[in-house]
Amino acid sequence: MDFVVFLIYRIAVAVLCALPLPVDFWLGRTFGTLAYFVLRPYRTLVLRNLKIAFGGEKSAVELQLLAREHFATLGANLLCSFKVAAMPAEAIAARVSFENLDTLLNALRQGDGVVMVISHIGNWELFAQLAHNAPGHKFSTIYQALGNRHIDEHVKKARARFGVVPFDRREGFNAPIRFLREGGLVGVLVDQHAGDHGVWTPLFGRLASTSPLAATLAARTEALLIPVAIYTASAGRWRLVVSEPVPREGRPEDITAAINQRLEQQIRVSPRDWFWVHQRWKTPKPKFLLADYKRGIVLAPNLPAVQLKPFSILIRSSNWLGDAVMTVPAVRAIKQGRPDARVAILCSAKLVDFWKTVSEVDEVIVIEADDGLFGVAAKIRRDFDAAMLFPNSVRAALEVWLAGIPRRVGYRGKWRAKLLNQIVPERKLPAPPRHQVHHYLDLAQHVGATITEHLVETSRPHFTSCKIGLCAGAEYGPAKRWLPERFAEVALRVSAAQPCEWLLFGVEKDREVAAPIAEKLGDRCTNLIGKTTLAELIEQLRECRLLLTNDTGTMHLAAHLGVPVVAIFGSTEPALTGPLGAEHRVFRHHVECSPCFLRECPIDFRCMKAVTVEEVTSAVVSALETRGTAATSDGRTAR
């Protein structure tokens, strides 16, 4: 099959060589323009790349016109390159003008090795013609073999007739290094996506994986780094422009960053000429967060991190407050995973005020109660590079799939595998079980985040009064609620030991549960049940020195805000969903049926009855007096 393709290629080349060069040029422009309209995926890619490079400088109409002109220019140069490869050197020279060529020739005359920094600009086949303009000097290029060996051999022979020695990169770089040390010139392409082996450094302000090969060769051989570009001047005519050498100070990674800045300057001279039909800003898979990459991130000296164009990540929040709080460490890890990360949270309206307390979140996108599936998709149909799904629901996956977000990451879930294009494998349950926070941290780690202890740390608020929060309800069901009369007794005993004001928190349906507590405490408490929005609850919790609570979303919220928690668990498991942090006290007595995770206890509520007023009172009083880490009732260190 390769030979058949080669024969077709040779026939096409023969036809093009028989035509005058200007005819090839205009024929290529015609085919290129047609390709713009027909090849929608490539048109979309080119427009995306142009928007990354010039989105803040050009309008949408200007970008579309530039994309169409690029396709036409690319088609013209492609067809002309076949003709050029067979033309006599003198005929080619008549169609190419040179600018600043002496910079290159003087370096060669002095015996300095030269790494010619080249890229896919204009008719790059003309780079081989430089050998004709510098007789007596040695020219070479590092190339990657084409997939079709017959076409590859034909292309190498065409270039070799001009005196260019090709080095296959698969054979290593010892030969090019010797060539440079002997005063030769080696052409190195620097504008291709370098994958996992590249340096992540800005191009047009957006991080791109860039090969450090040119910089490394120069550093190893003390060769000059001289950028050269070829621009389309008119039909069948080109300009070859030699730039001043790139400074070689610093590490190869720093020099690579400087090369990218030069490349950007070259492209800006004639944007239509560069090869935009290439995923230059490709999102790596699976680790699009770049902290773990071997060569890391290198910023140009004149481009601090705050000026980088953003890599936009949408995170679909969990729908329950407690679950949302437990995802915060993962959100922090994702935000810290790369300096250009911009994090947007998609959440229900009831959680907006919570997410506004997380400094790592740059934007909150609200799902209103009347937003349908397509309405949500329309809200997030923007320039997001990736979406991270914390919920396992089909709906969450459908939202980002309909929005056309190119990278969609999450656990497999049920019925949604085909809606995701990066599925995170779930870990087998360890013994003992891990906290739920690690379920979300695993998502972050899978895409390249670095997981550290400080991700779950919270700052402590400054207290000016002795207010204690009390949350006696639990939305999940009565199996999670400690006895109201015991809550009241603890509050009375604590008030007797230390003057304080109790704030009762809860939603409207908690009124009945908390009524006997409010009655017993009288003027020692302020009953806020059903009276606070989430924003107001946050402000009230920030004034509390401590929260006494069941296993609730309010418990997690308080821990997130840095408020110490005394929490009582019964049907649920604190090892899985306990409050995050080191200053909390958790009471949970194991009985033969715990944890059952039921909403209602089918027997005698023995797990909750086992927790005594005395031990809880002692923990609250101790927590008010000290802020250190304490032990739980069964001897474990509280989180």
Side-chain angles (χ1 to χ4, degrees), residues 503-522:
L503 304 181
L504 305 188
F505 299 126
V507 295
E508 185 65 35
K509 61 183 181 182
D510 293 328
R511 283 187 179 277
E512 183 178 348
V513 173
I517 302 173
E519 183 179 352
K520 285 191 175 183
L521 290 178

Side-chain angles (χ1 to χ4, degrees), residues 331-584:
V331 172
R332 289 175 177 155
I334 291 166
K335 176 67 174 181
Q336 295 169 14
R338 51 188 295 166
D340 57 346
R342 185 181 186 277
V343 172
I345 295 289
L346 176 65
C347 68
S348 61
K350 67 181 181 180
L351 293 178
V352 170
D353 291 317
F354 161 69
W355 281 113
K356 288 181 178 179
T357 70
V358 182
S359 60
E360 290 80 7
V361 173
D362 299 294
E363 180 187 6
V364 179
I365 303 173
V366 186
I367 302 175
E368 302 290 353
D370 57 350
D371 282 340
L373 177 63
F374 292 96
V376 174
K379 285 186 175 183
I380 58 176
R381 193 174 291 121
R382 294 197 244 155
D383 294 325
F384 285 112
D385 297 285
M388 301 281 295
L389 306 183
F390 287 157
N392 280 346
S393 66
V394 175
R395 163 135 189 180
L398 271 170
E399 290 166 351
V400 297
W401 182 79
L402 288 171
I405 298 175
R407 181 65 58 82
R408 303 177 297 279
V409 185
Y411 290 114
R412 182 177 297 274
K414 189 176 182 180
W415 308 110
R416 69 176 197 167
K418 291 186 178 180
L419 301 174
L420 306 176
N421 52 19
Q422 187 168 327
I423 295 175
V424 181
E426 291 206 50
R427 295 193 184 189
K428 294 181 179 179
L429 290 177
R434 297 187 309 161
H435 195 281
Q436 180 73 8
V437 69
H438 295 288
H439 178 75
Y440 304 113
L441 285 172
D442 285 348
L443 276 170
Q445 189 171 34
H446 179 79
V447 298
T450 300
I451 308 304
T452 59
E453 291 286 336
H454 80 276
L455 293 171
V456 297
E457 293 176 357
T458 55
S459 59
R460 294 277 293 146
H462 177 69
F463 302 111
T464 57
S465 62
C466 184
K467 293 184 179 180
I468 305 175
L470 194 156
C471 188
E475 191 169 355
Y476 182 76
K480 292 176 69 174
R481 300 174 192 153
W482 198 40
L483 304 173
E485 60 271 21
R486 295 193 182 183
F487 270 121
E489 184 62 28
V490 169
L492 288 173
R493 293 188 184 189
V494 171
S495 297
Q498 181 173 339
C500 58
E501 177 187 359
W502 291 85
L503 304 181
L504 305 188
F505 299 126
V507 295
E508 185 65 35
K509 61 183 181 182
D510 293 328
R511 283 187 179 277
E512 183 178 348
V513 173
I517 302 173
E519 183 179 352
K520 285 191 175 183
L521 290 178
D523 58 5
R524 296 186 182 92
C525 78
T526 300
N527 191 345
L528 298 175
I529 292 177
K531 299 177 182 179
T532 59
T533 62
L534 181 56
E536 291 166 339
L537 174 61
I538 290 169
E539 291 308 309
Q540 292 290 344
L541 279 171
R542 281 177 167 152
E543 294 183 10
C544 292
R545 290 183 63 181
L546 180 140
L547 176 70
L548 173 60
T549 180
N550 293 313
D551 175 15
T552 64
T554 305
M555 173 195 73
H556 289 289
L557 180 60
H560 166 71
L561 297 172
V563 177
V565 165
V566 173
I568 302 167
F569 277 68
S571 63
T572 51
E573 175 54 64
L576 294 175
T577 58
L580 296 174
E583 294 187 283
H584 311 301

Side-chain angles (χ1 to χ4, degrees), residues 237-283:
R237 295 189 178 275
W238 296 270
R239 289 188 306 123
L240 189 148
V241 180
V242 180
S243 301
E244 294 301 313
V246 177
R248 295 172 299 179
E249 291 82 15
R251 305 169 302 156
E253 291 82 1
D254 299 315
I255 299 170
T256 301
I259 288 173
N260 259 12
Q261 299 307 297
R262 287 292 189 89
L263 174 61
E264 180 179 332
Q265 293 169 11
Q266 289 178 329
I267 295 170
R268 286 183 178 277
V269 171
S270 179
R272 66 174 181 155
D273 270 306
W274 193 49
F275 192 68
W276 297 98
V277 190
H278 169 59
Q279 289 193 354
R280 186 64 188 89
W281 294 278
K282 189 174 183 179
T283 301

Side-chain angles (χ1 to χ4, degrees), residues 1-11 145-154:
M1 185 62 186
D2 279 356
F3 189 73
V4 173
V5 173
F6 173 66
L7 288 178
I8 296 171
Y9 160 80
R10 289 302 305 272
I11 292 170
L146 300 174
N148 187 309
R149 63 184 180 88
H150 305 290
I151 297 177
D152 184 63
E153 285 298 322
H154 180 263

